[in-house]
Amino acid sequence: MNQFIRICPLKATFTHTRFHLSLRTVDPPIIYHRLLLFRINKPETNDVSVSSSEAGPSWKAPELYCMEETCPHLGAPLSHAEIEDIEDTKAIVCPWHQYDFDLRDGSSSTGLQACTYEVQVKGIEEDAEVWVEAPHPSPSAPQRQWELVEMRGVSEEFLDPPIPSLSRLSLAEDIDHSSRTSFPASTATLPGDLPNTLLGFAHLILRTSNPELKCLLTREAVTRLRAGKLKSIRPTVGEIKRERGKEGGLLDEPPREVEMIAPGKAPRRGKGGSEKSRIMMLHALANIEQYAIDLAWDIIARFADFTTNNGERLPVEYFLDWAKVAEDEAKHYTLLARRLVELGSYFGAHTVHAGLWESATQTADSLSARIAIIHLVAEARGIDMNPLTLAKLQAAGDKESSRVLEIIHADEITHVTTGHRWFTWLCQKQGVDPITTFRAEVFANFRGKIKGPFNAADRLKAGLTPDFYEDLSGGLGSNPPTTVDGDGKAKEPEGDEHIHPRLT
């Protein structure tokens, strides 16, 4: 008997016509599986005047379909693929090579076969729920118990709010920040020969100092990826060698257009009660999002040639996942940058630090360490701190900043999930225990104790059980610097203060 997983109330599918579904096995070894849920229409009621007690016979559930998130041919993402009527059936058409797949059974006129999953609607009207068939077992992977980790609508918009068009920004702008009251505009235009590979875009974006242009190039890269306009997603060895051989190569640190200071010299941001305090906090968060864009592209560029112990390369899904993270981080930066302008400021009005990139430098030689420190420590601290910051914004009556942070927080949980997915994948390929390996990576590559409060509920959504973070300390450096409190007394060093801004 097939296992079915409860996805959501039916009415939750009315916000979009298709959704990303991320599933995860409940018990170790942890396996992730990505599906797409399609809603073709909405429920129908034959007689709108019928009373609720008589509604059952007249209520018709919508057409819902579910299939793998990527094309079985070369792994193209199907999230933005067109749906066409082919011989009285609904078929999705892969954007890369125009292969068609019947949404009902996955059959294709090409002879290929996509994996589809039965969708059931249980109940009617307000009580209706959507259930999806669990991933199919195989001889090597017998039936497991699965849980829904994430359900995310596939948005037709890329960035909200909009920022200047691609043609209005130059790759090398000389910006005068002293009188800046809105996003900069330039009469310069982009060259017509933008990269035709995902790796080429990654290197270009990492070399781009202007954050607005960095976001627009991210938009262009992901848009071309989804439309099948990139020559490659997972680069060849030759492509990696060519990109790294270009001027600049693989950068140690991306260039910046703002004044940089040491993490310990950052000014106090206050507790969010005043507008000045909130501006300082939003500015610090925008700095983190700017670095987060680069971190997502860097994990693509820096580890493009990674192989496991048995010589296996990273799959195309790895590159798709981190491109999606880069897209989210670009959205976050634009939301924060726009909010700063609305408050009468702008990004670059205050100094920033590169504390987050220091951890990237420390983990530049190890994919396992990079994911552990950046995505399972730093981003996990973000989902710990965001609710506390959000409460202060709400207490101050700043509804718009609160809305921005709510969007960011929801996305950051999925980013930690992405980190957990690929960290556990690496551990399985290397034949090691994920929790033991994670704690060893933190000890070797992080300095100081990671203290609470921990957002245990959202960490668990992302796959981080308490074994990952309780009593966790980094041992980097034999003599960590001693810090003092306001009374001049020595206090235990806390290693994550420079990674995620706190309202102190």
Side-chain angles (χ1 to χ4, degrees), residues 154-180:
V154 177
S155 175
E156 299 304 319
E157 299 179 1
F158 180 82
L159 296 179
D160 181 23
I163 53 180
S165 67
L166 206 60
S167 63
R168 292 176 59 198
L169 290 169
S170 158
L171 281 173
E173 288 186 289
D174 182 15
I175 298 174
D176 177 11
H177 292 292
S178 61
S179 59
R180 180 172 165 187

Side-chain angles (χ1 to χ4, degrees), residues 4-5 7-8 10 13 21 35-39 61-67 103-104 116-122 129-134:
F4 281 80
I5 305 166
I7 301 300
C8 64
L10 177 62
T13 68
L21 302 181
L35 305 177
L36 282 172
L37 176 68
F38 299 89
R39 178 181 56 77
E63 284 187 77
L64 295 167
Y65 302 97
C66 187
M67 68 187 307
L103 286 175
R104 297 172 305 176
T116 58
Y117 298 82
E118 182 183 350
V119 183
Q120 296 180 354
V121 177
K122 300 181 180 182
E129 294 183 335
V130 177
W131 291 67
V132 168
E133 184 182 4

Side-chain angles (χ1 to χ4, degrees), residues 110 152 249 257 264 267 369 502:
T110 66
R152 178 193 287 207
E257 294 185 347
R502 297 165 179 260

Side-chain angles (χ1 to χ4, degrees), residues 119-413:
V119 183
Q120 296 180 354
V121 177
K122 300 181 180 182
I124 62 172
E125 295 191 330
E126 291 298 314
D127 296 326
E129 294 183 335
V130 177
W131 291 67
V132 168
E133 184 182 4
H136 304 156
S138 66
S140 60
Q143 185 68 66
R144 305 277 300 279
Q145 184 178 354
W146 296 82
E147 62 181 348
L148 177 70
V149 177
E150 173 194 356
M151 174 181 173
R152 178 193 287 207
V154 177
S155 175
E156 299 304 319
E157 299 179 1
F158 180 82
L159 296 179
D160 181 23
I163 53 180
S165 67
L166 206 60
S167 63
R168 292 176 59 198
L169 290 169
S170 158
L171 281 173
E173 288 186 289
D174 182 15
I175 298 174
D176 177 11
H177 292 292
S178 61
S179 59
R180 180 172 165 187
T181 57
S182 62
F183 290 124
S186 171
T187 56
T189 59
L190 285 172
D193 57 346
L194 286 173
N196 62 0
T197 67
L198 189 69
L199 183 64
F201 266 106
H203 280 270
L204 173 60
I205 294 166
L206 287 166
R207 293 194 301 268
T208 301
S209 59
N210 179 270
E212 286 81 31
L213 180 55
K214 193 182 293 289
C215 292
L216 289 167
L217 287 169
T218 298
R219 172 182 187 173
E220 190 73 7
V222 177
T223 299
R224 292 188 182 196
L225 181 157
R226 288 171 175 156
K229 295 180 179 180
L230 292 182
K231 183 178 178 181
S232 73
I233 305 302
R234 186 176 74 164
T236 64
V237 174
E239 182 186 338
I240 296 168
K241 184 177 180 180
R242 287 193 297 272
E243 286 295 337
R244 294 182 179 180
K246 292 180 180 178
E247 184 178 358
L250 196 57
L251 299 179
D252 292 332
E253 182 173 353
R256 290 289 177 259
E257 294 185 347
V258 292
E259 183 182 351
M260 307 295 294
I261 59 173
K265 302 295 184 181
R268 295 178 67 85
R269 288 173 284 271
K271 297 184 178 181
S274 68
E275 185 176 86
K276 178 181 178 181
S277 174
R278 294 195 297 278
I279 287 174
M280 294 287 286
M281 182 269 293
L282 294 173
H283 194 278
L285 289 173
N287 179 51
I288 282 185
E289 298 299 343
Q290 178 185 213
Y291 272 108
I293 299 169
D294 287 325
L295 286 165
W297 289 116
D298 188 74
I299 204 171
I300 287 174
R302 190 168 301 277
F303 300 101
D305 56 351
F306 175 88
T307 57
T308 63
N309 292 341
N310 62 2
E312 183 177 352
R313 292 194 61 202
L314 293 165
V316 67
E317 289 84 3
Y318 170 92
F319 298 92
L320 295 174
D321 273 3
W322 294 112
K324 174 57 181 169
V325 170
E327 175 189 28
D328 288 345
E329 306 295 14
K331 176 180 70 175
H332 299 169
Y333 173 84
T334 58
L335 287 167
L336 290 163
R338 179 69 71 184
R339 184 59 185 147
L340 286 169
V341 171
E342 291 169 351
L343 292 171
S345 186
Y346 58 91
F347 184 70
H350 305 283
T351 56
V352 299
H353 65 74
L356 190 57
W357 198 263
E358 290 178 6
S359 292
T361 301
Q362 172 64 29
T363 59
D365 298 326
S366 168
L367 179 56
S368 176
R370 169 61 65 86
I371 296 176
I373 302 304
I374 297 299
H375 302 286
L376 302 185
V377 172
E379 283 202 290
R381 289 306 289 149
I383 63 176
D384 291 337
M385 300 309 299
N386 284 338
L388 304 180
T389 304
L390 181 59
K392 294 179 183 293
L393 292 174
Q394 292 171 337
D398 191 341
K399 294 182 179 179
E400 185 57 29
S401 296
S402 299
R403 185 187 73 86
V404 168
L405 198 60
E406 286 172 348
I407 293 171
I408 291 173
H409 181 66
D411 287 344
E412 295 295 353
I413 296 173

